[in-house]
Amino acid sequence: MGSSPNSKPKIIRGTAGYVLEDVPHMADYIPDIPTYSNPLQNNPAYSVVKQYFVHVDDSVPQKIIANKDSPRGVHFRRAGPRQRVYFESDDVQAAIVTCGGLCPGLNTVIRELVCALYHMYGVKKILGINGGYKGFYAHNTITLTPKSVNDIHKRGGTILGSSRGGHDTTKIVDSIQDRGINQVFIIGGDGTQRGADRIFEEIRRRRLKVAVVGIPKTIDNDIPVIDKSFGFDTAVEEAQRAINAAHVEAESGENGIGVVKLMGRYSGFIAMYATLASRDVDCCLIPESPFHLEGPGGLFEFTEKRLKENGHMVIVIAEGAGQELVSESIQSLNKQDASGNKLLQDVGLWISQKIKIEVRLVSFLTTMSI
Ligand SMILES: Nc1ncnc2c1ncn2[C@@H]1O[C@H](COP(=O)(O)OP(=O)(O)O)[C@@H](O)[C@H]1O
Ligand SMILES: O=P(O)(O)OC[C@H]1O[C@](O)(COP(=O)(O)O)[C@@H](O)[C@@H]1O
């Protein structure tokens, strides 16, 4: 997910070094904001479950390891349904938008949001914003109902479309106001969440009763505290298919090497989990762990050793691994995409070329990427 959003965190301190890094809320700037009973309290499926509702003061510690004498440390607000809510169902005009990079499961999240709003909270007015942030002011909206989203989880991508760039905060908030939207669900990665933060700041400045909800999307699973981000399992499964294919190719000939480049701009979770699950990988290179090519302990030496021992080899490399080495040998282009993300060099092709040139034992080499 990369770095954190723009605005300063809302810090609340308690006894024994307890720190709550809280999320900003409409109640911070709307005095005496009314609350209502959560519609789930009238639903026997939820109300019978003891402790179904999250207590307003519940928080989750950042670190689970504690020392006897250390301060209680940083905590985050615990998510989940509360007994009191800030909107009456009939007054809600919800909007859902997907922005930035794609990830498996986006349609499932849209579907479940629509169904939960509609069936659990009785919200009947739900709009889909077409084409990411710029869709607020440059595209049409789609009416979303449980019926219209019924089968979308079986499709890849996002039915709402997505885009990079095009974040004009003023125009977005104007559009939110004009359309009478009062709950905005924003699904996306770190760039998207920075954008959501700007939208909330503008909404706060205008003192609007609009809830902004950021739903973190990262195929890389690099979000602390949460157990797993949606789409990660699918990415690991698909990665294993590529590893399997590379392994079949590598062992089919003498001294064959399969190089698999996987997603992971700044983190190697997909590469590591796929490697651990497949058991066919000899070497896994990730951005968190620097490596070198030549000399003792280098990749070339290890490759020669594995070929001598085993006659074939599979290397998995995450997209962001060894970027400093690539930049040293290829003129760095320093280009960015429309959202300002750095465009990386193709480490898969680069490492394959290097091995072909430097490791004499290699008879053939296949490169794949997902
Ligand atoms: N600092 C920022 N402030 C406002 N909007 C941003 C910022 N960074 C990114 N965005 C917007 O968020 C959207 C998604 O960002 P991007 O980096 O492409 O994807 P992701 O959310 O997957 O990281 C784009 O429309 C982009 O313009
Ligand atoms: O090629 P693109 O669209 O820039 O995206 C590729 C990069 O985005 C990522 O998938 C991360 O994006 P998210 O964490 O937002 O899902 C990286 O693993 C990958 O390197």
Side-chain angles (χ1 to χ4, degrees):
M1 288 281 289
S3 55
S4 60
N6 323 296
S7 68
K8 283 192 194 137
K10 191 172 127 190
I11 304 286
I12 296 162
R13 291 180 197 280
T15 54
Y18 173 90
V19 178
L20 177 66
E21 266 195 37
D22 208 359
V23 272
H25 194 271
M26 295 173 307
D28 300 343
Y29 59 86
I30 304 177
D32 305 320
I33 186 169
T35 62
Y36 309 92
S37 171
N38 188 328
L40 291 179
Q41 299 206 54
N42 307 323
N43 185 329
Y46 301 98
S47 54
V48 292
V49 183
K50 267 197 188 151
Q51 296 180 341
Y52 179 77
F53 293 100
V54 168
H55 191 273
V56 282
D57 289 332
D58 279 359
S59 62
V60 180
Q62 184 181 35
K63 287 186 185 161
I64 53 168
I65 297 168
N67 298 121
K68 187 162 60 72
D69 300 322
S70 60
R72 290 177 65 201
V74 173
H75 292 65
F76 303 111
R77 178 74 65 186
R78 184 176 173 210
R82 308 286 166 84
Q83 280 179 321
R84 309 286 303 167
V85 294
Y86 291 86
F87 293 91
E88 282 193 293
S89 309
D90 289 344
D91 293 342
V92 176
Q93 170 65 74
I96 304 174
V97 63
T98 51
C99 312
L102 295 180
C103 176
L106 281 168
N107 282 334
T108 311
V109 175
I110 297 169
R111 183 185 190 280
E112 296 315 306
L113 265 176
V114 172
C115 292
L117 281 165
Y118 199 96
H119 294 307
M120 293 164 74
Y121 285 90
V123 171
K124 306 294 180 212
K125 292 175 280 178
I126 311 168
L127 284 178
I129 306 295
N130 226 215
Y133 277 133
K134 62 176 81 132
F136 275 102
Y137 52 86
H139 296 286
N140 290 326
T141 53
I142 311 165
T143 301
L144 298 172
T145 62
K147 196 161 182 246
S148 73
V149 298
N150 192 42
D151 284 327
I152 63 171
H153 58 295
K154 297 171 190 163
R155 284 185 247 163
T158 156
I159 56 147
L160 299 178
S162 186
S163 62
R164 297 204 191 270
H167 188 284
D168 186 323
T169 313
T170 308
K171 283 193 196 167
I172 292 169
V173 179
D174 286 349
S175 158
I176 287 171
Q177 249 185 306
D178 293 347
R179 292 174 199 271
I181 295 166
N182 51 15
Q183 289 188 2
V184 196
F185 296 88
I186 302 178
I187 311 168
D190 53 334
T192 303
Q193 301 311 326
R194 277 191 285 273
D197 190 53
R198 294 229 170 140
I199 291 170
F200 175 75
E201 285 306 327
E202 180 60 16
I203 282 171
R204 179 178 12 213
R205 200 186 62 77
R206 298 188 194 184
R207 301 194 170 271
L208 304 176
K209 190 186 169 189
V210 177
V212 179
V213 182
I215 300 170
K217 170 238 61 162
T218 168
I219 201 165
D220 289 341
N221 200 32
D222 55 345
I223 310 180
V225 183
I226 66 166
D227 292 335
K228 204 184 286 172
S229 58
F230 68 85
F232 177 67
D233 278 344
T234 309
V236 171
E237 257 170 51
E238 290 302 319
Q240 280 177 77
R241 273 189 239 278
I243 293 172
N244 192 33
H247 182 242
V248 169
E249 293 226 4
E251 70 172 354
S252 300
E254 208 185 338
N255 292 330
I257 296 190
V259 175
V260 183
K261 184 188 78 171
L262 296 177
M263 286 171 286
R265 207 193 286 263
Y266 302 111
S267 77
F269 288 105
I270 295 175
M272 282 304 299
Y273 273 67
T275 294
L276 288 171
S278 102
R279 322 305 304 173
D280 284 333
V281 178
D282 298 272
C283 176
C284 176
L285 303 166
I286 56 172
E288 294 89 334
S289 183
F291 64 95
H292 60 276
L293 299 177
E294 284 157 37
L299 183 67
F300 299 148
E301 183 194 73
F302 180 71
T303 306
E304 282 208 16
K305 182 169 158 275
R306 280 308 284 156
L307 289 181
K308 279 182 193 150
E309 285 167 357
N310 213 25
H312 66 275
M313 180 179 184
V314 176
I315 299 173
V316 162
I317 185 158
E319 194 178 351
Q323 282 296 316
E324 65 295 341
L325 300 176
V326 193
S327 302
E328 269 170 30
S329 65
I330 308 175
Q331 180 81 45
S332 183
L333 297 171
N334 225 357
K335 283 199 173 157
Q336 295 183 335
D337 69 15
S339 296
N341 302 308
K342 187 174 192 280
L343 290 176
L344 301 183
Q345 308 277 4
D346 190 332
V347 75
L349 282 178
W350 173 81
I351 204 105
S352 301
Q353 289 299 333
K354 284 277 183 194
I355 290 172
K356 268 191 217 161
I357 296 164
E358 301 293 337
V359 184
R360 276 160 295 123
L361 271 180
V362 181
S363 65
F364 72 90
L365 187 146
T366 179
T367 311
M368 4 199 130
S369 61
I370 67 160

